[in-house]
Amino acid sequence: MTHWFHRNPLKATAPVSFNYYGVITGPPASKICNDLRSSRARLLELFTDLSCNPEMMKNAADLYFSLLQGFINSSDESTQESKLRYIQNFKWTDTLQGQVPSAQQDAVFELISMGFNVALWYTKYASRLAGKENITEDEAKDVHRSLKIAAGIFKHLKESHIPKLITPAEKGRDLEARLIDAYVIQCQAEAQEVTIARAIELKHAPGLIAALAYETANFYQKADHTLSSLEPAYSAKWRKYLHLKMCFYTAYAYCYHGQTLLASDKCGEAIRSLQEAEKFYAKAEALCKEYGETKGPGPTVKPSGHLFFRKLGNLVKNTLEKCQRENGFMPNPNQKKM
């Protein structure tokens, strides 16, 4: 598959002791606080553990969030919030604005911020797996599944938990709607990239691949538009990625649409479609260079040297040459027969 995905850094957080001497007393309460401290530390360790898999992440996240619920919801199963909700101050950095932390004395803020990191972990896990050269069918399914899980977490946080914050999300920071939406759409686009790769591998009809590529390009364009009103100093590199992927998959769409036209003996139209593919591929290539030169959160890489990028360039070139050859062999309907 050898895909390449842009990834923003994980959020960092200050340690939390969960020690409330004189406030929470008794062995059962002390055990819960100890379990909270250890399960939080374990979850934070797993975020950077390359041996961690989705099952390990799910188990660790479920344990911590189930314990944290005691600080959010009342134990008597009423709709009232827990008296402990505002007892602890939590600090978290931002994926775009670096090491400048946000702090809220609210367990819901902790739930959202940690959940955000869990979603980011799933995207990073998918990225590592998708970057392998000889990815198996099961691994491809894992990539697709992980991106869907991440999108679902981001969406759930936005709809169910962020509205409960006493202090509204700061503009331009992770918990703001524009950023959450961009992360969701990017996950959808990247999951569709996996579908396209599978369709090509199984030699599905070029028309289907062209339609999927066009839809994927639209996803990336939508995500880019979502970030358009953010401060460029923080969002420029991310937006370069979204824009180059939009151009890349538009080139894919034109390339496979050209194959469909060629199969219908519409060589002239096929050539024009492939020429459009060349234009968008050239735009994507220029954006790859700009991406590498743009400062901001994310990896320092050269996407144009990546195998997934080079393969499309060769495909466009070879398909266009084939169209031109076929066009040269087409009989002239006005030519008189001997």
Side-chain angles (χ1 to χ4, degrees):
M1 187 176 291
T2 62
H3 280 299
W4 166 73
F5 300 139
H6 167 93
R7 291 292 176 259
N8 292 325
L10 289 162
K11 296 163 76 67
T13 182
V16 179
S17 67
F18 293 104
N19 288 328
Y20 309 109
Y21 301 113
V23 178
I24 297 176
T25 58
S30 295
K31 184 180 186 308
I32 289 173
C33 288
N34 287 336
D35 289 347
L36 266 167
R37 183 169 57 252
S38 61
S39 62
R40 187 180 197 265
R42 174 59 177 157
L43 186 51
L44 292 173
E45 284 175 6
L46 288 179
F47 287 145
T48 54
D49 184 350
L50 295 180
S51 67
C52 179
N53 59 43
E55 184 181 3
M56 292 165 65
M57 177 55 61
K58 184 180 185 306
N59 290 340
D62 285 351
L63 175 60
Y64 179 62
F65 291 138
S66 66
L67 291 166
L68 190 64
Q69 286 301 318
F71 280 64
I72 297 172
N73 299 316
S74 176
S75 59
D76 61 6
E77 297 184 0
S78 69
T79 56
Q80 293 188 351
E81 64 188 27
S82 170
K83 294 177 181 178
L84 302 174
R85 176 174 169 178
Y86 307 106
I87 198 173
Q88 176 69 53
N89 191 49
F90 297 95
K91 288 183 180 180
W92 285 88
T93 62
D94 196 74
T95 59
L96 291 186
Q97 297 192 30
Q99 299 306 306
V100 181
S102 293
Q104 290 195 34
Q105 194 149 328
D106 188 347
V108 171
F109 177 69
E110 166 73 357
L111 174 81
I112 295 165
S113 300
M114 190 69 84
F116 198 101
N117 249 19
V118 171
L120 283 177
W121 180 87
Y122 276 102
T123 70
K124 289 175 179 286
Y125 176 78
S127 181
R128 288 201 307 273
L129 211 52
K132 293 172 61 177
E133 284 197 26
N134 298 311
I135 188 169
T136 66
E137 184 180 345
D138 285 342
E139 287 173 330
K141 288 178 180 177
D142 277 346
V143 173
H144 195 276
R145 188 181 302 113
S146 294
L147 290 167
K148 289 292 186 183
I149 290 171
I153 294 171
F154 285 128
K155 195 166 183 285
H156 179 67
L157 293 175
K158 180 192 173 187
E159 294 175 354
S160 301
H161 296 293
I162 291 175
K164 295 177 183 176
L165 286 171
I166 301 300
T167 305
E170 300 171 67
K171 285 192 176 296
R173 296 182 77 90
D174 285 339
L175 307 189
E176 206 227 316
R178 288 175 297 177
L179 274 87
I180 295 273
D181 288 343
Y183 276 115
V184 170
I185 299 165
Q186 181 178 335
C187 286
Q188 292 171 330
E190 291 173 349
Q192 190 131 303
E193 286 193 50
V194 179
T195 303
I196 291 170
R198 187 70 180 144
I200 292 170
E201 186 182 333
L202 295 174
K203 295 181 169 48
H204 285 317
L208 172 63
I209 297 169
L212 288 169
Y214 181 72
E215 189 178 25
T216 305
N218 285 340
F219 274 135
Y220 279 116
Q221 186 175 39
K222 185 179 176 183
D224 179 46
H225 179 72
T226 303
L227 298 174
S228 61
S229 57
L230 287 179
E231 177 61 45
Y234 304 123
S235 62
K237 194 176 187 73
W238 191 5
R239 290 193 64 201
K240 289 289 183 191
Y241 165 77
L242 298 170
H243 193 189
L244 82 83
K245 279 290 186 84
M246 185 274 287
C247 291
F248 181 83
Y249 278 98
T250 302
Y252 241 121
Y254 274 116
C255 181
Y256 277 91
H257 181 57
Q259 291 185 22
T260 303
L261 292 168
L262 183 62
S264 302
D265 292 331
K266 296 177 181 177
C267 290
E269 292 178 48
I271 288 171
R272 285 192 291 275
S273 190
L274 266 297
Q275 287 169 341
E276 286 298 311
E278 273 193 324
K279 287 179 190 175
F280 277 96
Y281 183 78
K283 285 181 184 178
E285 198 166 29
L287 284 163
C288 282
K289 185 179 179 184
E290 291 175 23
Y291 174 87
E293 295 170 350
T294 302
K295 293 181 180 179
T300 304
V301 296
K302 293 182 178 178
S304 57
H306 202 284
L307 181 60
F308 94 99
F309 194 87
R310 298 199 312 272
K311 281 173 71 176
L312 176 60
N314 291 332
L315 180 65
V316 170
K317 179 175 176 288
N318 294 337
T319 309
L320 178 57
E321 288 175 355
K322 182 181 179 183
C323 289
Q324 290 167 335
R325 285 197 305 272
E326 294 281 335
N327 194 47
F329 291 136
M330 289 290 287
N332 185 346
N334 297 319
Q335 188 175 4
K336 293 181 180 180
K337 293 183 179 179
M338 297 295 290

